[in-house]
């Protein structure tokens, strides 16, 4: 269906009905964020695919592949998100499709299957889900899920049910225990690593916590588009970043950031820079829509049309309405100094 690649490696993106690479070793779940807990669920299927590859070394591999084909490490998820299907409300995501693919690629996943989440799929019993989707369509050879995984009609199947049902087809199921945020005390059910906890942390500007739970910095990525061209007049040009419509935005306000600049038209290495960013409506200039704007420190040049990957480092302050552009300019200067102090530390 789609072959999204960067740096030579790629993830094959397919639906359950079209263009599947089989057989598969499957990690099942929604995986929004691809956080540390998700990564633990994905790990067993990577090992399985890798181990089988090792077995082929020294054998007549073409013949061996035919007899015992290596399963493709495959993440199986739902599209749209089941929450969106049941409520009709579009859901903002920590990792919209392109970002999810990129994260899975960096983990070494070979295939992402988007199961079309519709009335038919949501009505399948746990038995039917295993038989039709996992066995017949995905030709699944092994499965990994988190301990709290639920599936089938009205989410009535548990991880243990999956283990029992898949066992009838001799498909082993790894049930991965819930991961907790060890740095947050006391250790209770509330600090299990989850997409919701990361969303809550981002919503209050606790970037350190969100980044810790993700196992990497939370990023906002997109193409640089033109704004009102006011920034340059106050000495702080700001690259306006166009995000995917379904990207989850953290708390509005000003951030210290690290930026990676990719030029999609050139085969050059990405450039790494530090900077400050504002997410908000820009009340000082009576802005109406929400913008995401980055000013890069110690840098000048044209960024229009380039792709920026902005990594959040720290929330600095809420957005304010200033009485003049001069006052805004002075504050942005202070923001740059505050960010520089953080980077130096
Ligand atoms: C670090 C930083 C902090 C900012 N803080 C505010 C703010 O507190 N209030 C505000 O109205 N706009 C703020 N802005 C947004 C500016 O209003 C905006 O960059 C300016 O209007 C220029 O936008 P333009 O170049 O897209 O026309 C901030 C921008 C940056 C880069
Ligand atoms: N240090 C910098 N940080 C961000 N953008 C910069 C910088 N230096 C130059 N630019 C360029 O200036 C543009 C932003 O200028 P600005 O006047 O704010 O216009 P716009 O409103 O179109 O964003 C960026 O898109 C980029 O091409």
């Amino acid at each position: 269906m789609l072959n999204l690649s960067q740096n030579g490696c790629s993830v094959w993106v397919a639906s359950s009905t079209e263009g599947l690479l089989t057989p598969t070793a499957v990690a099942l779940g929604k995986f929004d964020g691809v956080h540390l807990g998700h990564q633990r669920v994905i790990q067993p299927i990577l090992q399985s695919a890798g181990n089988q590859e090792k077995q082929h070394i020294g054998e007549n591999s073409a013949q061996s592949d035919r007899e015992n084909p290596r399963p493709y490490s495959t993440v199986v998820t739902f599209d749209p998100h089941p929450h969106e299907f049941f409520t009709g409300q579009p859901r903002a995501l920590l990792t919209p499709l392109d970002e999810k693919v990129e994260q899975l690629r960096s983990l070494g996943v070979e295939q992402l299957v988007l199961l079309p989440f519709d009335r038919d799929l949501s009505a399948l019993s746990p038995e039917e889900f295993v038989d039709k989707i996992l066995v017949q369509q995905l030709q699944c050879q092994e499965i990994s899920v988190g301990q709290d995984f639920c599936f089938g009609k009205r989410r009535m199947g548990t991880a243990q049910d999956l283990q029992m049902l898949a066992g009838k087809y001799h498909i082993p199921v790894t049930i991965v225990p819930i991961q907790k945020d060890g740095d947050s005390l006391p250790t209770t059910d509330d600090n299990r690593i989850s997409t919701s906890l990361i969303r809550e942390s981002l919503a209050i500007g606790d970037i350190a916590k969100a980044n810790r739970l993700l196992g990497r910095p939370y990023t906002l990525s997109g193409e640089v588009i033109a704004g009102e061209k006011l920034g340059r007049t106050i000495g702080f040009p700001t690259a306006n970043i166009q995000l995917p419509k379904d990207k989850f935005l953290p708390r509005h306000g000003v951030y210290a950031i690290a930026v990676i600049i990719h030029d999609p038209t050139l085969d050059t290495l990405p450039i790494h820079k530090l900077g400050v960013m504002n997410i908000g409506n820009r009340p000082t200039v009576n802005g109406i829509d929400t913008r995401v704007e980055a000013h890069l420190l110690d840098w000048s040049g044209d960024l229009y049309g380039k792709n920026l990957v902005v990594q959040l480092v720290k929330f600095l302050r809420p957005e304010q309405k200033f009485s003049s552009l001069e006052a805004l300019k002075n504050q942005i200067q202070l923001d740059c100094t505050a960010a520089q102090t953080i980077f130096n530390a």
Side-chain angles (χ1 to χ4, degrees), residues 224 226-229 231-232 237-238 240 294 296 299-304:
V224 177
E228 261 69 60
K229 305 210 185 318
R232 64 194 68 181
T238 53
N240 288 268
L296 312 190
W299 195 82
S300 66
D302 185 2
L303 290 172
Y304 295 122

Side-chain angles (χ1 to χ4, degrees), residues 235 237 261 271 273-274 295-303 306:
I261 309 166
I271 301 168
K273 288 283 152 196
L274 300 171
H295 171 74
L296 312 190
L297 302 178
D298 306 321
W299 195 82
S300 66
D302 185 2
L303 290 172
K306 299 211 171 31

Side-chain angles (χ1 to χ4, degrees), residues 1-4 11-21 79 97 101 110-116:
M1 191 185 169
L2 256 181
N3 196 1
L4 298 174
V11 178
W12 183 255
V13 183
S15 82
S16 57
T17 48
E18 234 189 296
L20 276 177
L21 304 176
D79 183 44
L97 182 61
V101 169
E110 292 164 299
Q111 176 171 229
L112 171 65
V113 175
L114 305 169
L115 295 179

Side-chain angles (χ1 to χ4, degrees), residues 5 14 53 64 68 76 87 97 146 180-181 185 203 214 217 243 256 308:
S5 75
E53 198 163 43
S64 148
N68 183 18
V76 176
T87 62
L97 182 61
K180 300 218 172 176
D181 175 21
L185 293 170
L214 283 165
L243 301 177
L308 294 197

Side-chain angles (χ1 to χ4, degrees), residues 208-228:
K209 183 167 181 178
N211 290 353
R212 188 170 74 234
L213 302 181
L214 283 165
R216 63 175 189 279
Y218 189 64
T219 53
L220 305 174
S221 321
E223 189 183 329
V224 177
I225 54 167
E228 261 69 60

